[in-house]
């Protein structure tokens, strides 16, 4: 999964809201148990919206939702798991953090009794389910939402260049060639930053037993054809000055969308909601969605619920019941999709009529069908606890290639050496 974009999205949204840590429902005299759920925006809102349904089933079990900003939440969960202090009963985890949490032994193995969560596998999008397994194949979290990748295209800019979406889709080389035509005809950039191409292309062509940067035995994989191709394509985009060289979720990035300076965006399906509500609402009707170029299918983030291994044993049964409600109830999953653009990991929801409805921001295009198709074609990628560190290393080396002329082979050799030193930590 493309974690970096999802992280920036969460951080950007979190910065718009004050962190809160208050009980949603105060225990009454009849309450016998109080569960604590640790979450971040907008997962906290989804949990709170589900509580009326929870109280109907369990009126004697109160729920406190403790919400922190995205980065603060995951830092707090890391500390809680390592010290066993202030452990919640249920914790929400973003996909980019799941690797480091799943390998440390701090989460309950939900595939084992008394949970027996393995029986739920057929109900979830396959790649999301695989992401919730630790290296031993044990379930340590349950997926709730996903971010199938999509390409958003600015119709008016393509029209001025004499292009249609189909011209950008056959291959990544066609995508870059179309970008050159768009730049010549309109002055607009193809993409915000060439790093985004690298983030996608290194996630294609991953073999069995391999992860993104490491295989199942923690061998480093960056010296491989998929990394070479990703670096070559990103370098070419930078060489032709087709990227605006702005970072996602920055003020400059948002302003470029508002001013019609970016012709495409490669992101998760949730980006449409962010564009419509926060980033560039005045561009409504000027965009359309398509699959990523070259029949590429990747995921952008996602949310999972887990139970800390050392949380209070007397509350674990109710914690599991709450996770099951949040992840398996089609009505609640659909409500979260409508309210928070939380694309359901639950397959039961995927045939809902809501998927056929037109999206006003996309000029009436029923794009959810497209994203549903993409979600089912994403290949699972094995997670590793050092993936976030590897993201930083590889991104830095790509900057060295694009901006300082460092040879690609030398950059990947240097990245490999650094990652080898961290692989088994």
């Amino acid at each position: 999964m493309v974690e970096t974009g999802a992280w920036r999205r969460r951080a950007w949204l979190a910065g718009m809201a004050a962190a809160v840590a208050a009980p949603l429902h105060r225990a009454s005299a009849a309450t016998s148990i109080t569960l604590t759920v640790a979450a971040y925006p907008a997962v906290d809102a989804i949990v709170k919206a589900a509580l009326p349904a929870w109280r109907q089933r369990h009126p004697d079990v109160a729920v406190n939702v403790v919400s922190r900003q995205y980065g603060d939440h995951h830092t707090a969960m890391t500390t809680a798991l390592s010290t066993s202090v202030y452990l919640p009963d249920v914790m929400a985890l973003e996909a980019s953090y799941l690797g480091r949490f799943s390998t440390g032994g701090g989460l309950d193995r939900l595939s084992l009794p008394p949970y027996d969560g393995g029986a739920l596998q057929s109900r979830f999008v396959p790649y999301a389910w695989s992401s919730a397994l630790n290296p031993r194949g044990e379930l340590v979290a349950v997926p709730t939402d996903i971010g199938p990748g999509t390409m958003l295209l600015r119709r008016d800019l393509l029209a001025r260049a004499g292009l249609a979406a189909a011209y950008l889709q056959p291959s990544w080389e066609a995508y870059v060639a179309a970008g050159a035509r768009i730049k010549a005809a309109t002055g607009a950039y193809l993409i915000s930053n060439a790093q985004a191409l690298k983030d996608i292309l290194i996630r294609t062509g991953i073999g069995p037993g391999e992860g993104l940067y490491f295989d199942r035995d923690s061998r480093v994989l960056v010296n491989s054809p998929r990394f070479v191709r990703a670096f070559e394509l990103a370098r070419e985009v930078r060489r032709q000055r087709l990227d605006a060289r702005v970072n996602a979720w920055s003020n400059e990035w948002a302003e470029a969308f508002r001013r019609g300076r970016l012709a495409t965006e490669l992101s998760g399906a949730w980006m449409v909601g962010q564009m419509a509500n926060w980033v560039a609402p005045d561009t409504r009707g000027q965009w359309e969605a398509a699959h990523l170029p070259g029949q590429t299918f990747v995921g952008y983030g996602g949310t999972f619920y887990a139970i800390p291994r050392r949380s209070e044993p007397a509350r674990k049964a109710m914690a599991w019941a709450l996770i099951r409600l949040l992840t398996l109830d089609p009505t609640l999953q659909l409500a979260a999709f409508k309210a928070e653009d939380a694309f359901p990991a639950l397959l039961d929801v995927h045939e809902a009529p809501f998927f056929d409805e037109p999206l006003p921001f996309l000029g009436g295009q029923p794009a959810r069908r497209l994203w549903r198709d993409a979600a089912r074609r994403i290949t699972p990628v094995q997670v590793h606890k050092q993936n976030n560190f590897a993201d930083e290393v590889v991104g830095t080396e790509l900057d060295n290639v694009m901006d300082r002329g460092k040879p690609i082979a030398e950059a990947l050799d240097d990245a490999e050496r650094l990652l080898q030193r961290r692989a088994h930590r």
Side-chain angles (χ1 to χ4, degrees), residues 50-64:
L51 284 213
W54 171 258
R55 285 193 288 268
Q56 287 183 353
R57 293 165 174 80
H58 303 282
D60 59 338
V61 181
V63 176
N64 286 350

Side-chain angles (χ1 to χ4, degrees), residues 20-361:
V20 296
L24 177 67
H25 175 67
R26 296 190 180 278
S28 67
T31 299
S32 58
I33 296 177
T34 299
L35 296 178
T36 298
V37 178
Y40 48 87
V43 181
D44 55 354
I46 292 172
V47 175
K48 291 175 183 179
L51 284 213
W54 171 258
R55 285 193 288 268
Q56 287 183 353
R57 293 165 174 80
H58 303 282
D60 59 338
V61 181
V63 176
N64 286 350
V65 180
V66 178
S67 181
R68 300 178 179 90
Q69 294 186 14
Y70 176 83
D72 293 339
H73 165 80
H74 287 94
T75 298
M77 295 304 97
T78 301
T79 301
L81 288 175
S82 63
T83 63
S84 299
V85 177
Y86 298 120
L87 280 170
D89 299 292
V90 175
M91 62 170 60
L93 297 174
E94 224 279 338
S96 57
Y97 282 86
L98 193 57
R100 71 172 70 173
F101 283 86
S102 67
T103 57
L107 303 179
D108 260 353
R109 292 172 290 175
L110 303 178
S111 50
L112 302 179
Y115 306 109
D116 295 319
L120 305 176
Q121 179 174 355
S122 63
R123 300 188 64 181
F124 291 94
V125 172
Y127 90 88
W129 183 266
S130 295
S131 298
L133 305 178
N134 66 18
R136 296 179 296 278
E138 299 163 331
L139 183 72
V140 294
V142 181
T144 183
D145 65 63
I146 57 176
T150 190
M151 175 168 59
L152 303 179
L153 307 104
R154 181 84 180 232
R155 288 192 180 98
D156 54 343
L157 295 178
L158 266 65
R160 286 167 57 189
L163 297 171
Y167 284 88
L168 286 76
Q169 288 190 279
S171 67
W172 287 100
E173 289 71 22
Y175 174 76
V176 174
R181 288 182 58 177
I182 293 169
K183 182 77 179 293
T186 71
Y189 296 101
L190 175 64
I191 194 171
S192 59
N193 198 301
Q195 286 273 1
L197 301 181
K198 175 266 296 177
D199 290 337
I200 297 172
L201 286 167
I202 63 175
R203 288 164 169 81
T204 61
I206 296 176
E210 293 184 347
L212 184 55
Y213 300 105
F214 307 90
D215 67 10
R216 60 166 58 100
D217 298 315
S218 288
R219 285 189 290 261
V220 181
L221 303 173
V222 298
N223 252 324
S224 64
R226 59 188 169 94
F227 280 84
V228 172
R229 183 170 183 241
F231 273 47
E232 288 176 344
L233 192 76
R235 182 178 62 182
E236 181 63 16
V237 166
R238 180 64 54 84
R239 186 188 70 80
Q240 295 193 44
R241 299 182 180 180
L242 300 181
D243 70 322
R245 302 183 70 165
V246 297
N247 293 325
W249 308 108
S250 67
N251 291 333
E252 295 82 2
W253 171 83
E255 191 62 23
F257 282 119
R258 294 171 190 144
R259 294 180 177 272
R261 302 295 295 162
L262 293 174
T264 73
E265 170 70 358
L266 311 177
S267 190
W270 41 258
M271 179 58 74
V272 171
Q274 303 311 314
M275 293 278 282
N277 296 319
W278 300 101
V279 181
D282 291 341
T283 63
R284 171 175 168 160
Q286 296 175 342
W287 295 89
E288 67 177 290
H291 284 316
L292 295 169
Q295 289 294 295
T296 304
F297 300 98
V298 298
Y300 284 77
T303 306
F304 299 77
Y305 293 113
I307 297 175
R309 182 170 59 86
R310 294 182 178 175
S311 62
E312 174 55 49
R315 296 194 294 267
K316 286 182 182 286
M318 283 293 99
W320 179 237
L322 179 58
I323 289 176
R324 288 179 62 94
L325 177 70
L326 292 170
T327 60
L328 296 174
D329 187 298
T331 300
L332 294 179
Q333 284 273 301
L334 187 59
F337 193 14
K338 292 179 178 180
E340 305 292 344
D341 291 305
F343 197 101
L346 184 67
L347 290 171
D348 297 357
V349 187
H350 285 200
E351 299 306 320
F354 185 62
F355 280 80
D356 299 321
E357 293 182 9
L359 277 72
F361 188 79

